[in-house]
Amino acid sequence: MTGILHGRWTTRRCLDHLTLVVFAVLAAATSATSQEPPPIRIVYFVPTDRQSLPEYAERLDRVMTEVQRFYREGMAACEYGTLTFQLERDEKGKLRIHVVQGKHPMETYGRNSSGAVRDEVKPALTAKGINIDNETTLIFQVLLKRDGDKAIEIGPYCGGGDHRHGTAWVYDDERMDAKLLDSKDAGGYYGHPCSIGEFNSHYVGGVAHELGHAFGLPHDGCVAH
């Protein structure tokens, strides 16, 4: 896997910074084969002292459908057609989420624990016949806690890879929901108001951002090594 990149974009800034060159990477990856690209794998990682958050499956389905739409419209805006990544869904059309129980309490997983989290996820998916070394994997982690309206980030929040395989690490929270993107409620990592709902602007936008790194996309004006 290529270098892991860290960062945070709002959804609006994401659209500004995923430029023509960035979308060209996805276009090249899709057109390189006549077959549909494989779906990304969605993982839900829960440390020993936390539980899966309420209605996480429905919320994350909305989040990923929104991010999928965002990529599709960005590709179309850059004249590559309505291309986007695929999502793994079950026979009822619901987002397939692979739940992985962590081996340690939340505070064990620090900001530099991306490798540790992935090392726990990998054998769990291997048991299902999935080799994440050959997949693009997005890991939602119950590694975010609250201090009033402020979000306290405990675990890793990053991504890295290329157009063939990669991994992104993001958070889940009860407030994270694509249907709340228009909310003007304050709250989030920076702990101050903004013009649109700060929490989902950061964290739904952050999913699009870190997934881009898992696809091998760099920050604007820099190259991943």
Side-chain angles (χ1 to χ4, degrees):
M1 183 163 42
T2 54
I4 295 173
L5 297 178
H6 302 255
R8 179 180 287 98
W9 288 346
T10 65
T11 304
R12 190 178 304 277
R13 287 184 64 204
C14 236
L15 189 56
D16 292 338
H17 285 272
L18 288 178
T19 58
L20 182 66
V21 174
V22 163
F23 283 120
V25 176
L26 289 181
T30 304
S31 62
T33 173
S34 60
Q35 298 178 342
E36 286 289 316
I40 65 173
R41 305 289 187 174
I42 305 298
V43 174
Y44 197 76
F45 182 81
V46 187
T48 57
D49 58 346
R50 300 290 300 275
Q51 295 180 340
S52 300
L53 299 179
E55 301 180 355
Y56 75 91
E58 293 82 2
R59 285 189 297 96
L60 296 190
D61 199 330
R62 289 191 290 269
V63 167
M64 292 312 302
T65 300
E66 168 65 18
V67 174
Q68 189 181 46
R69 178 207 61 77
F70 163 75
Y71 273 82
R72 182 186 299 112
E73 292 188 3
M75 292 287 279
C78 292
E79 301 182 352
Y80 286 107
T82 55
L83 299 174
T84 190
F85 58 85
Q86 301 300 309
L87 290 170
E88 186 183 14
R89 295 188 175 277
D90 64 19
E91 60 280 359
K92 295 182 179 179
K94 295 182 179 180
L95 182 67
R96 192 180 300 278
I97 301 174
H98 303 276
V99 179
V100 176
Q101 181 65 60
K103 297 180 179 179
H104 307 287
M106 179 173 65
E107 298 287 349
T108 303
Y109 302 98
R111 296 288 284 166
N112 296 317
S113 295
S114 56
V117 171
R118 192 177 188 276
D119 286 347
E120 293 185 31
V121 167
K122 183 175 180 177
L125 267 64
T126 297
K128 297 182 178 184
I130 300 170
N131 181 357
I132 66 173
D133 291 339
N134 298 324
E135 306 271 356
T136 299
T137 307
L138 177 60
I139 307 173
F140 285 92
Q141 310 157 112
V142 187
L143 295 177
L144 189 75
K145 67 179 182 179
R146 303 181 192 177
D147 180 8
D149 283 337
K150 187 173 182 179
I152 308 299
E153 300 183 344
I154 303 298
Y157 199 83
C158 54
D162 57 36
H163 67 279
R164 296 166 298 177
H165 43 69
T167 307
W169 296 256
V170 297
Y171 303 128
D172 187 32
D173 185 90
E174 295 174 60
R175 296 174 294 181
M176 190 172 77
D177 196 330
K179 71 180 183 181
L180 300 177
L181 278 170
D182 290 334
S183 168
K184 293 181 171 57
D185 290 341
Y189 181 73
Y190 297 109
H192 56 73
C194 65
S195 59
I196 58 177
E198 183 176 21
F199 190 90
N200 284 293
S201 179
H202 289 162
Y203 291 109
V204 175
V207 172
H209 178 106
E210 302 305 343
L211 182 58
H213 290 324
F215 291 145
L217 310 182
H219 285 136
D220 225 24
C222 68
V223 178
H225 295 284

